[in-house]
Amino acid sequence: MKKILVFFVALLAFGNCAQAQLSGYFTSFEEFGTMLPNKTEVKAWRNESLILPFLINGDSTKVLNFEIKTDSKKIKSDLVQLHLVEGDISGGNCGATKKKGTFVKKRFPDRAEFIKGSSFVPDSTTSYGLVKIEIPDNLKPGKYPLELTFDQNGSTLKIEALINVIGRKLSDFSSLDYEMDFWQFPLSISTYYKLDPYSDAHWNKITEMFDQLHGFNQIVVTTSVFYDLYNTSIKPLEQMMIQIRKKKDGTYTYDYSTFEKYVELAFSKGISKEIAVHNLFPWNLTYFYFDEESGAVKTFKSEPGTDAYNNFWNPFLVDFATYLKSKNWMDKTVFWVDERDINSTALLVKYVKAIDPAYKFGYSGRFSPGLSELVFDYSLASNIVLEPAKLAARKSKGFKTTYYTSCYEVQPNMLMASNYTDIYFLIMLSKARGYDGMLRWAFNLWSPQIMKSAIFSDLPSGDSHFVYPEGQVSLRYLIIKDALEEVQKVEAMANSSKTKELLNSHTRYFLLNIEKDRINMVKTMKNYLND
């Protein structure tokens, strides 16, 4: 009997030890995962949004209840759960390592869900999240305690920070002199949700996408003549953004109704400075039209400059110019060419401008002085340094210059495996170089399993998406917004010699290759702006 009793007591003791006790702390993006001292002071401007990351260790099978307390009713706060998403570490390989099956997998806290209510279910024993704090523009400067309390199955944890609101005020976000151009994939949305393309339900989701884009100062609406930027397969005529029909007599007609609705919806959401039009020089050199004689969508391939190419595109370019002028959109429209041969692109630009000199072009790729004379919107890879005189020449013409990152750049980048500090660094680097902003090739190209896994066959995880379905965004999206507020602070302090000095320090080329020094650069700039 004693042996049974001793065993029972020991079993109870073991059960109590096995019951997870909550532990956790605030951390920083510069050194994500490391513990910040309790009651760490965080400085903020009035009218700023803060995102304070934290991690919690507890039981992955039990609900976590939480409460956020601040010392002012004016301060609005939200809790964001960072769901773990499977990804890979293959940046810089652009699929080569993945095709060999040698890449490393990891789960990243990337999918950001704003919690409605006061509880959530953890993804694992270590949960990641953010407290999002909105500082009112009329809040009195001072120190405001922040308490984040968790309760799980009788175990309680409180972590604290101190929000030090300084006497500076952030301008309205719409005044930011920094433009984002993240390319959109509306058919990726309909495919994921299994919706009829351009049905009412699909338009509702597209509206949600435009709201997210406007949230970080997107100013370009991405359109395509056919299905999307890359057109890898034949789809029905109704899925073309501009429906091209070849009549039995060999002439073409064009239906712009979907294109028009898409652009007007973007404009209504504030994304109205530029209409990017793709497909004149696609990677696969494939073009589509509905053939009325056969009753089917047909394709053909041709290079710019060939008779087949000119015979197809000439009537479109004439008709499209008439349409754009009737909508007063000609000056906003830019034909985009993505990393194609520079000489062929230059010939294409001259061919199109011979039809109507009002047409503009955009180009992403390596720099060419000759092409620069022809291209209104030029985006360079982040590791290319444009000489100040060449940038000044572009500015004198009223041209736009940005840069972009892709899977070829191992670091710095905005992949799921990238250091979060790199996002702050890249955003500020564009400002420091005197560019107009940043470009990314994909905002929302989703796989069917994107809510749980971002592994693609030929892309590093995160390269093709910054938002998720169900209205959720990524941690990287939220950091981009935070980094843009740092740019706003720089603009507010632009006349300071110290601001100019620190901006110039960002342009030192060795920073592109040394992560530790980039982290220190970001810390130095943040400390200065909040001093």
Side-chain angles (χ1 to χ4, degrees), residues 99 156 184 300 429 496:
K99 288 174 182 175
T156 303
Q184 304 121 50
F300 73 98
L429 179 60
S496 165

Side-chain angles (χ1 to χ4, degrees), residues 268-384:
S268 74
K269 295 297 181 178
I271 304 169
S272 58
K273 192 169 183 179
E274 185 176 314
I275 305 167
V277 182
H278 292 255
N279 295 158
L280 259 64
F281 193 4
W283 281 41
N284 62 4
L285 298 174
T286 302
Y287 315 97
F288 302 77
Y289 62 93
F290 181 82
D291 181 56
E292 289 189 351
E293 185 167 2
S294 63
V297 174
K298 296 291 185 76
T299 69
F300 73 98
K301 289 190 174 187
S302 69
E303 294 267 2
T306 63
D307 288 342
Y309 184 95
N310 294 345
N311 291 339
F312 179 77
W313 283 110
N314 195 86
F316 169 80
L317 291 166
V318 171
D319 193 81
F320 195 41
T322 302
Y323 166 76
L324 291 171
K325 290 172 184 177
S326 73
K327 298 291 295 182
N328 291 319
W329 290 352
M330 191 68 173
D331 192 52
K332 294 176 181 284
T333 301
V334 178
F335 286 122
W336 262 92
V337 177
D338 181 23
E339 295 181 336
R340 312 305 291 133
D341 178 75
I342 282 176
N343 293 326
S344 297
T345 300
L347 290 173
L348 173 62
V349 175
K350 292 174 183 176
Y351 159 71
V352 172
K353 282 185 169 291
I355 294 172
D356 197 313
Y359 275 129
K360 297 178 182 177
F361 269 80
Y363 182 80
S364 55
R366 61 190 179 89
F367 185 75
S368 160
L371 191 60
S372 180
E373 293 290 321
L374 302 171
V375 170
F376 165 76
D377 192 344
Y378 212 131
S379 193
L380 306 165
S382 60
N383 57 7
I384 295 175

Side-chain angles (χ1 to χ4, degrees), residues 3 80 133 150:
K3 288 182 178 180
V80 182
I133 303 290
F150 294 94

Side-chain angles (χ1 to χ4, degrees), residues 60-300:
S60 63
T61 65
K62 299 289 192 302
V63 170
L64 260 174
N65 301 297
F66 67 89
E67 183 181 15
I68 307 172
K69 288 183 180 179
T70 57
D71 212 26
S72 172
K73 292 182 179 179
K74 291 183 178 181
I75 297 176
K76 184 179 179 294
S77 59
D78 289 291
L79 189 136
V80 182
Q81 182 182 6
L82 298 176
H83 292 278
L84 296 171
V85 178
E86 185 181 51
D88 61 79
I89 304 173
S90 63
N93 293 285
C94 293
T97 302
K98 303 184 81 173
K99 288 174 182 175
K100 296 175 185 176
T102 56
F103 62 91
V104 177
K105 294 181 182 179
K106 185 180 175 181
R107 296 176 78 201
F108 297 91
D110 191 63
R111 179 162 60 87
E113 178 183 7
F114 282 75
I115 300 300
K116 298 175 181 178
S118 57
S119 64
F120 64 92
V121 179
D123 279 355
S124 68
T125 54
T126 299
S127 300
Y128 300 87
L130 306 171
V131 179
K132 188 172 185 291
I133 303 290
E134 301 284 350
I135 308 295
D137 61 2
N138 61 351
L139 188 66
K140 182 180 178 181
K143 296 184 178 182
Y144 297 85
L146 168 71
E147 294 182 359
L148 181 55
T149 305
F150 294 94
D151 178 88
Q152 185 183 59
N153 203 32
S155 178
T156 303
L157 169 71
K158 181 168 71 174
I159 59 176
E160 300 172 273
L162 190 65
I163 310 300
N164 184 355
V165 179
I166 63 176
R168 296 195 185 113
K169 181 180 172 181
L170 213 59
S171 62
D172 185 72
F173 197 66
S174 62
S175 66
L176 176 65
D177 184 24
Y178 193 105
E179 299 174 356
M180 306 296 279
D181 182 7
F182 280 49
W183 294 350
Q184 304 121 50
F185 288 80
L187 290 184
S188 176
I189 299 173
S190 59
T191 299
Y192 178 84
Y193 286 107
K194 297 181 173 61
L195 299 173
D196 291 334
Y198 304 115
S199 62
D200 288 345
H202 186 206
W203 283 115
N204 288 338
K205 296 295 183 183
I206 292 172
T207 300
E208 185 176 73
M209 175 191 73
F210 283 141
D211 283 333
Q212 292 170 330
L213 285 160
H214 181 64
F216 65 19
N217 213 41
Q218 174 84 10
I219 55 92
V220 183
V221 53
T222 308
T223 68
S224 52
V225 177
F226 307 121
Y227 307 112
D228 59 40
L229 281 59
Y230 302 105
N231 299 299
T232 54
S233 63
I234 295 177
K235 298 180 179 66
L237 171 68
E238 294 74 22
Q239 294 187 29
M240 285 189 193
M241 191 166 276
I242 297 174
Q243 295 179 18
I244 301 178
R245 290 175 176 267
K246 185 176 183 181
K247 299 170 70 175
K248 292 180 181 179
D249 64 3
T251 60
Y252 292 94
T253 61
Y254 310 97
D255 183 344
Y256 302 110
S257 56
T258 299
F259 171 86
E260 184 171 305
K261 186 173 181 178
Y262 190 79
V263 170
E264 288 182 341
L265 180 57
F267 282 12
S268 74
K269 295 297 181 178
I271 304 169
S272 58
K273 192 169 183 179
E274 185 176 314
I275 305 167
V277 182
H278 292 255
N279 295 158
L280 259 64
F281 193 4
W283 281 41
N284 62 4
L285 298 174
T286 302
Y287 315 97
F288 302 77
Y289 62 93
F290 181 82
D291 181 56
E292 289 189 351
E293 185 167 2
S294 63
V297 174
K298 296 291 185 76
T299 69
F300 73 98

